[in-house]
């Protein structure tokens, strides 16, 4: 039967990812530039960490029992890496040992040829070979060898390296690809053009074991890894911010994507630099209030809690486990597991039937030790002094394991089910958990997708429309029009440029569609007069403006 399936199926963006298109991107730029201004005012500096990290970083940093790590990560093995050197070393050593050949020289051939990963091997006196060691025979390696041989036989080579030239001229150079045995026999389907492909029975492994990598589901672990790796403790208190994509395999819905963007910040450093002080918590929260206000987001609610520290948690966990022992059998399978492995995570449960049970569980607030209680009270005191409103919410535990003491979320009514616009808190033990020095820290991440969604202004409002549309009129005018556009853009004007194939009517339509304030006509007469017709598209007023005054006139000075 004929396969009639069309081969030109449309390829769509992957579920949970999306394209951000203009004019909405203007809103994203507006948000990012406003938050950069705020970060600058609070003396935060940008950090950019890789988009993928070793899986272990998130397992140890964020916690294996969290939903993010246990269910939502995009993880892959970066595959086995072929160790060319190991194969070459063993092949040469074994050839000699088994007296199959004798090696007079075995040198990588990149001293006189372009960077080629091949070797020049003298197997027995006067039997030179070019050999490359590959995981499998490929056309590329065949090409490489043939080219290498052609190169050394070329007049250019013979001229430049006359010492070696004498030798290569005398002998035919054999070409060989050595591949480890057990890999697919690719030589059977490629045209090897006389190059010998040798399947070598290697004894030592030539594939290095693979590494598990993960697309970052969040950026705090990455920042703390970078803090440790680059000894940032030497700098005292680090105030860092980031803007970038994060990845979680969640069920997509409004405000929840698999690739989403976070704007985040972390304050981290040795305790001696003040990183543990409640003043830091309050400063971060006040900055967030300022930021949301400046963006024109009103109606946010700050939910605040303290989740204690390594000292007060054990007592609380015991009480929580005790309470769960009775009720867990009536809860979902995830909760039954969490009740044993990581009871705090029971609070992440979204199953509706479990909620009444969860609402009756003991909360951390009555188990805080003296130091945590004092810390939390001081944070609240500063917030009151700053007139930052907050709701105490003792059920707020946050979904990531690293949190200690202050934990918070800002919610916004307009967002629907996914109403957390941002979340954050302290993570005083995270650096140690990742093998670093003690480095108390506090930070947050704003869901940029949600932030943009909750902005009242329409995207149209923040787009800068063209100041002028430069219309080339008549054959041969494109160059002159481009020159004018170039001059005007140097004056920081937004300029849109037409095409000489457009008639006057079409140019006007294009200028109006682009929302330009003025249209500037570049025709033969105008060029001759060195003065151009400039028409205000809103008022219809038209004047002839000398070239030298164009920018000033359009700027409206
Ligand atoms: P998080 O609460 O997991 O915290 O995420 C922070 C924010 O990212 C959420 O409040 C939400 O706005 C947004 N977000 C999370 N998942 C998605 C998604 N699938 N689609 C759209 N937006 C989403 C963290 O990530 C911590 N690293 C925050 C932090 C920084 N804590 C201390 N420092």
């Amino acid at each position: 039967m004929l396969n009639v399936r069309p081969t030109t199926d449309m390829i769509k963006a992957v579920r949970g990812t999306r394209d951000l298109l203009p004019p909405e991107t203007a809103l994203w730029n507006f948000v990012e530039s406003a938050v950069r201004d705020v970060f600058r005012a609070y003396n935060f500096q940008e950090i950019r960490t890789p988009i993928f990290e070793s899986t272990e970083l998130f397992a140890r940093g964020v916690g294996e029992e969290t939903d993010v790590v246990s269910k939502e990560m995009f993880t892959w093995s970066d595959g086995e890496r072929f160790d060319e050197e190991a194969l070459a070393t063993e092949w040469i050593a074994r050839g000699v040992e088994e007296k199959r050949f004798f090696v007079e020289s075995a040198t990588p051939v990149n001293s006189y040829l372009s960077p080629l990963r091949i070797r020049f091997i003298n197997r027995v006196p006067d039997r030179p070979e070019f050999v490359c060691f590959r995981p499998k025979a490929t056309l590329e390696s065949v090409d490489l060898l043939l080219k290498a041989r052609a190169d050394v036989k070329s007049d250019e080579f013979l001229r430049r390296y006359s010492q070696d030239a004498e030798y290569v001229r005398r002998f035919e150079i054999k070409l060989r690809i050595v591949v480890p045995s057990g890999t697919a026999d690719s030589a059977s389907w490629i045209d090897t053009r006389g190059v010998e492909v040798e399947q070598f029975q290697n004894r030592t492994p030539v594939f290095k074991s693979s590494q598990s990598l993960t697309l970052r589901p969040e950026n705090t672990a990455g920042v703390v890894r970078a803090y440790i790796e680059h000894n940032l403790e030497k700098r005292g208190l680090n105030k860092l911010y980031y803007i970038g994509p994060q990845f979680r395999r969640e069920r997509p819905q409004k405000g929840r994507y698999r690739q989403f963007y976070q704007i985040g910040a972390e304050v981290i450093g040795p305790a001696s630099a003040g990183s543990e002080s409640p003043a830091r918590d309050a400063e971060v929260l006040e900055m967030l209030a300022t930021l949301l206000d400046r963006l024109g987001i009103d109606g946010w609610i700050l939910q605040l809690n303290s989740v204690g520290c390594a000292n007060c948690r054990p007592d609380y966990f015991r009480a929580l486990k005790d309470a769960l022992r009775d009720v867990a059998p009536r809860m979902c399978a995830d909760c039954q597991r969490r009740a044993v492995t990581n009871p705090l995570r029971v609070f992440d449960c979204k199953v509706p039937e479990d909620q009444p049970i969860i609402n009756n569980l003991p909360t951390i607030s009555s188990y805080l030790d003296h130091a945590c209680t004092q810390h939390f009270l001081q944070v609240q005191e500063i917030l009151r002094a700053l007139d930052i409103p907050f709701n105490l919410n003792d059920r707020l535990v946050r979904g990531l394991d690293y949190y200690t003491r202050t934990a918070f979320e800002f919610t916004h009514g307009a967002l629907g089910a996914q109403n957390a616009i941002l979340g954050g808190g302290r993570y005083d033990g995270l650096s140690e958990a990742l093998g670093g020095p003690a480095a108390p820290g506090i930070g947050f991440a704003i869901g940029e997708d949600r932030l943009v969604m909750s902005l009242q202004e329409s995207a149209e409002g923040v787009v800068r429309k063209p100041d002028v549309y430069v219309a080339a009129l008549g054959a041969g005018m494109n160059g002159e029009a481009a020159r004018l556009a170039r001059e005007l853009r140097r004056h920081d004007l937004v300029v849109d440029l037409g095409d000489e194939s457009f008639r006057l009517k079409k140019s006007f339509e294009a200028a109006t569609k682009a929302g330009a304030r003025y249209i500037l006509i570049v025709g033969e007469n105008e060029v001759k007069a060195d003065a151009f017709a400039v028409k205000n598209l809103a008022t219809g007023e038209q004047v002839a403006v000398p070239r030298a005054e164009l920018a000033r006139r359009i700027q409206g000075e």
Side-chain angles (χ1 to χ4, degrees), residues 16 18 62 68 72 217-221 242 246-267 398-400 402-403 408-410 415 418-427 430 441-451:
R18 62 203 179 121
V62 175
V68 169
E72 298 168 0
E218 63 98 55
N219 214 164
T220 308
Y242 48 82
Q246 318 291 333
F247 306 85
R248 295 183 192 175
R249 190 186 273 110
E250 294 191 87
R251 198 169 49 77
Q253 65 179 81
K254 182 167 175 254
R256 191 161 72 189
Y257 308 97
R258 290 183 165 187
Q259 173 171 341
F260 60 100
Y261 295 80
Q262 282 187 343
I263 299 171
E266 313 294 347
V267 181
R398 309 272 304 126
L400 315 169
Y402 49 62
Y403 289 111
F408 57 85
E409 275 178 13
F410 281 66
L415 288 174
Q418 302 303 319
N419 68 351
I421 203 165
L422 69 91
R426 260 196 181 278
Y427 43 86
L430 178 55
I442 179 162
F444 64 84
I446 305 173
E448 193 176 357
D449 306 73
R450 297 185 192 174
L451 185 68

Side-chain angles (χ1 to χ4, degrees), residues 87-152:
L87 182 62
T89 310
E90 189 184 345
W91 183 79
I92 294 167
R94 279 259 296 288
V96 174
E97 178 193 309
E98 290 168 7
K99 300 200 170 42
R100 280 186 289 122
F101 54 83
F102 154 86
V103 176
E104 198 167 71
S105 70
T107 41
V109 191
N110 46 20
S111 47
Y112 40 74
L113 297 164
S114 52
L116 298 180
R117 282 168 36 235
I118 63 175
R119 277 154 210 262
F120 179 73
I121 294 180
N122 229 347
R123 276 159 63 95
V124 289
D126 303 340
R127 285 258 315 273
E129 283 189 15
F130 278 166
V131 184
C132 71
F133 299 88
R134 289 293 146 93
K136 61 179 186 181
T138 59
L139 278 178
E140 172 262 351
S141 42
V142 171
D143 287 346
L144 203 62
L145 288 167
L146 289 168
K147 177 166 187 315
R149 184 167 62 190
D151 278 353
V152 297

Side-chain angles (χ1 to χ4, degrees), residues 461-476:
V462 292
V463 178
R464 193 170 156 200
K465 296 275 172 60
D467 296 300
V468 59
Y469 183 95
V470 177
L473 222 69

Side-chain angles (χ1 to χ4, degrees), residues 23 460 463-470 494-498 502 506-519 537:
E460 293 283 343
V463 178
R464 193 170 156 200
K465 296 275 172 60
D467 296 300
V468 59
Y469 183 95
V470 177
V494 180
V495 180
D496 220 355
L497 182 58
F502 291 6
K506 185 165 175 189
S507 294
F508 267 93
E509 280 166 6
T512 310
K513 192 166 174 205
R517 276 193 300 128
Y518 292 98
I519 184 164
L537 285 164

Side-chain angles (χ1 to χ4, degrees), residues 230-445:
H230 304 289
N231 288 317
L232 297 186
E233 65 174 339
K234 289 206 199 97
R235 303 183 181 188
L237 193 67
N238 290 261
K239 298 166 83 174
L240 306 165
Y241 79 88
Y242 48 82
I243 300 178
Q246 318 291 333
F247 306 85
R248 295 183 192 175
R249 190 186 273 110
E250 294 191 87
R251 198 169 49 77
Q253 65 179 81
K254 182 167 175 254
R256 191 161 72 189
Y257 308 97
R258 290 183 165 187
Q259 173 171 341
F260 60 100
Y261 295 80
Q262 282 187 343
I263 299 171
E266 313 294 347
V267 181
I268 180 169
S272 59
S275 58
E276 214 170 357
S277 164
R280 297 284 69 79
D281 306 41
E283 187 186 20
V284 162
L285 290 165
E286 187 269 329
M287 175 169 79
L288 281 165
T290 302
L291 204 153
L292 296 180
D293 289 345
R294 188 168 300 183
L295 286 171
I297 293 178
D298 37 44
W300 50 260
I301 297 169
L302 163 55
Q303 312 268 0
L304 196 61
N305 194 20
S306 172
V307 294
C309 68
N311 185 39
C312 29
R313 290 258 188 105
D315 276 351
Y316 172 59
F317 279 8
R318 221 168 291 130
L320 190 57
K321 274 189 170 168
D322 280 350
L324 281 167
R325 198 165 303 125
D326 297 334
V327 293
R330 286 187 274 129
M331 300 178 82
C332 69
D334 276 348
C335 280
Q336 294 186 17
R337 198 192 63 244
R338 291 163 175 151
V340 181
T341 55
N342 192 343
L344 203 58
R345 296 276 67 91
V346 164
F347 289 98
D348 300 338
C349 175
K350 308 266 172 359
V351 175
E353 294 76 32
D354 287 0
Q355 299 312 308
I357 301 176
I358 292 169
N359 285 338
N360 279 322
L361 292 172
T363 56
I364 179 86
S365 51
S366 30
Y367 289 83
L368 295 183
D369 64 15
H370 180 70
C372 288
T373 306
Q374 286 308 310
H375 192 276
F376 193 37
L377 286 175
Q378 285 175 44
V379 174
Q380 296 174 46
E381 197 182 320
I382 308 174
L383 289 179
R384 284 196 195 95
L386 289 164
D387 280 333
I388 308 288
F390 56 88
N391 285 355
L392 291 180
N393 177 353
D394 63 6
R395 311 245 150 222
L396 179 83
V397 293
R398 309 272 304 126
L400 315 169
D401 274 355
Y402 49 62
Y403 289 111
T404 55
R405 295 191 165 175
T406 312
F408 57 85
E409 275 178 13
F410 281 66
T411 54
H412 192 266
L415 288 174
Q418 302 303 319
N419 68 351
I421 203 165
L422 69 91
R426 260 196 181 278
Y427 43 86
D428 291 348
L430 178 55
S431 174
E432 289 104 310
L434 296 176
I442 179 162
F444 64 84

